[in-house]
Amino acid sequence: MMIDFALDAERNAGKSTEEAIYYGALVRFRPIMMTTMAALMGTLPIALGFGAGAESRRPLGLCVVGGLVFSQLITLYITPVYYTYLDSFQKWMQGLFGRKAPLTVNQVAGTRT
């Protein structure tokens, strides 16, 4: 969703890549955190190992919590960086092969950005 918001901001609002991904990360931060925290709180009792037979379920809980933390780091930190790198690579390739960037909505309408 963060990338979807960034692409929309780039295409329709005429923002730069950095501004667009910052906007996407800012708008989607709360829903991403809420989803992750809900899943984390649901698996925390399994990871802590409460109840009968908890010693057999604890490794599963620890794996789920570790996966959630890892995916959170990827979502919030690595995805925006990867997005900007891929955008600069795309612009480099367009310059290399002489292809022009697609027109924005403002350019099609004839207004200045």
Side-chain angles (χ1 to χ4, degrees):
M1 290 303 291
M2 186 187 321
I3 301 298
D4 190 41
F5 272 76
L7 287 172
D8 185 55
E10 270 188 272
R11 291 178 183 157
N12 297 329
K15 293 186 178 190
S16 70
T17 303
E18 290 80 15
E19 289 174 332
I21 195 65
Y22 178 75
Y23 170 74
L26 196 63
V27 169
R28 298 307 302 167
F29 178 76
R30 183 172 174 238
I32 290 169
M33 289 299 292
M34 287 172 56
T35 305
T36 303
M37 288 300 145
L40 187 67
M41 292 300 147
T43 58
L44 202 56
I46 298 171
L48 293 177
F50 293 126
E55 63 273 354
S56 64
R57 292 189 311 264
R58 189 170 187 207
L60 173 67
L62 291 174
C63 286
V64 171
V65 169
L68 286 169
V69 170
F70 183 71
S71 68
Q72 188 74 5
L73 290 173
I74 287 176
T75 301
L76 294 178
Y77 294 108
I78 296 176
T79 302
V81 172
Y82 192 66
Y83 178 78
T84 56
Y85 284 156
L86 283 180
D87 188 67
S88 64
F89 178 71
Q90 179 185 9
K91 289 177 183 175
W92 178 74
M93 290 294 282
Q94 287 172 350
L96 186 67
F97 292 110
R99 299 178 92 194
K100 293 186 176 182
L103 295 175
T104 63
V105 173
N106 293 334
Q107 290 170 335
V108 172
T111 59
R112 298 187 72 169
T113 56

